[in-house]
Amino acid sequence: MPYEPPTHTVERSLRATTGARTVAGVDEVGRGAWAGPVTVCAAITGLRRPPEGLTDSKLLTPRRRAELAPVLESWVTAHALGHASPEEIDDLGMTAALRLAAVRALEGLPVRPDAVILDGKHDYLGAPWKVRTVIKGDQSCIAVAAASVIAKVHRDRMMAELGGASGEYTDFAFGANAGYPSPVHRAALEERGPTPHHRLSWSYLDALPRWQHLKKVRFSAEAAALESGGQLGFEF
């Protein structure tokens, strides 16, 4: 399907209204996975014209993402990645884990940004960062789109290596599903149970009676309901 290319409109607005000179685009991947980390990329692009075909990573084929990511890494002014592990997700909850990963990414940049464009409608980053949330920012904002592609390719590569490095977890097909729900992933969970790379506080374990004893109970039912919105996504 045709799509409108991203622009620097939001970044120009932030520069004009806040005086920000350095603006970072931030996007995450892995929020809805059952296994693996949540990964955040922070990218600074300036106001230069982006490589042809840049858009939200979810609108690109895996092959096109893989081709575009190294081009973007050379093109951006700076970028950095931050991760929060499955253990941190279980201990902190997804919102706090996202903030942890985002702060790690932002602090990994060579310069502290004056403002941040955050994909989505919820500001999980908060003070002291100056944040502008943009719904579908990964489609409309150049810096966020670049961050989305870089984050997705890096996390997919991490999960593929996790699934194939020793052969121990090949049954889970992490290289194909990146830790998200899939028939092969579900079948492996039912047969073998969760690996050390799975999130053990999540509700998928409720459907696995054989492995329910491994579930971590960390927070109240009310908080669990709030977190469950991040458990339903499918991103292959």
Side-chain angles (χ1 to χ4, degrees), residues 135-225:
I135 296 173
K136 294 188 177 179
D138 47 9
Q139 293 183 35
S140 61
C141 302
I142 287 173
V144 180
S148 78
V149 173
I150 295 171
K152 175 67 173 165
V153 170
H154 273 267
R155 187 182 182 279
D156 282 359
R157 188 177 301 140
M158 288 173 60
M159 295 304 296
E161 291 172 355
L162 182 66
S166 65
E168 185 177 359
Y169 305 123
T170 54
D171 292 353
F172 292 88
F174 289 145
N177 59 52
Y180 284 83
S182 73
V184 172
H185 190 172
R186 291 173 189 268
L189 274 169
E190 290 178 2
E191 177 64 26
R192 298 185 52 184
T195 73
H197 307 288
H198 278 85
R199 304 167 187 181
L200 299 180
S201 60
W202 286 36
S203 60
Y204 70 85
L205 278 170
D206 295 338
L208 301 172
R210 183 178 171 190
W211 307 105
Q212 279 183 9
H213 64 286
L214 298 176
K215 186 173 181 180
K216 290 185 178 180
V217 179
R218 176 183 49 78
F219 40 49
S220 67
E222 180 181 359

